[in-house]
């Protein structure tokens, strides 16, 4: 089962080597993202799963699309998966840095 993490928990996951995968559309990603994240739009997700290595933190705008992606990875044997609660909305509201 995947974890649900708050924005301030991301540092600890990154220290363990986590990839941050943003499942939003490219135009959403271009408007602002978690620094260092990689864009793998939900529509391409299944075809690009070979690029994903645990641990993984998934994000989107609100946390809904990334939660669906996290559940999918759970069902396909990925051991360490987390969903970023609140997505980019909560990330920005928390005053964390945004890469553009």
């Amino acid at each position: 089962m995947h974890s649900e993490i708050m924005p301030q928990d991301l540092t600890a996951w990154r220290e363990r080597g986590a990839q941050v995968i943003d499942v939003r559309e490219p135009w959403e990603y271009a408007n602002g993202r978690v620094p260092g994240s990689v864009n793998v739009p939900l529509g391409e997700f299944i075809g690009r799963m070979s690029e994903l290595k645990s641990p993984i933190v998934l994000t989107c705008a609100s946390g809904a699309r990334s939660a669906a992606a996290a559940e999918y990875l759970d069902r396909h044997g990925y051991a360490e998966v987390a969903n970023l609660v609140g997505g980019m909305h909560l990330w920005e509201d928390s005053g964390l840095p945004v890469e553009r």
Side-chain angles (χ1 to χ4, degrees):
M1 183 168 170
H2 71 270
S3 301
E4 295 282 323
I5 66 168
M6 299 302 290
Q8 53 271 29
D9 299 326
L10 183 59
T11 299
W13 277 72
R14 280 198 157 147
E15 287 171 356
R16 294 189 298 114
Q19 291 181 299
V20 179
I21 304 297
D22 190 318
V23 300
R24 296 176 299 159
E25 293 301 312
W27 67 267
E28 293 173 285
Y29 181 78
N31 285 333
R33 59 198 166 272
V34 173
S37 62
V38 175
N39 188 216
V40 180
L42 209 50
E44 301 173 11
F45 196 75
I46 294 171
R48 294 179 61 187
M49 279 179 54
S50 64
E51 299 173 30
L52 309 179
K53 307 283 184 267
S54 291
I56 301 168
V57 176
L58 296 152
T59 189
C60 64
S62 68
R65 286 176 281 179
S66 53
E71 288 176 26
Y72 188 84
L73 292 178
D74 282 342
R75 290 194 309 271
H76 287 86
Y78 285 75
E80 289 186 273
V81 178
N83 180 43
L84 190 63
V85 173
M88 282 304 297
H89 296 310
L90 185 56
W91 182 267
E92 290 188 82
D93 289 349
S94 298
L96 294 162
V98 175
E99 186 176 85
R100 288 184 166 50

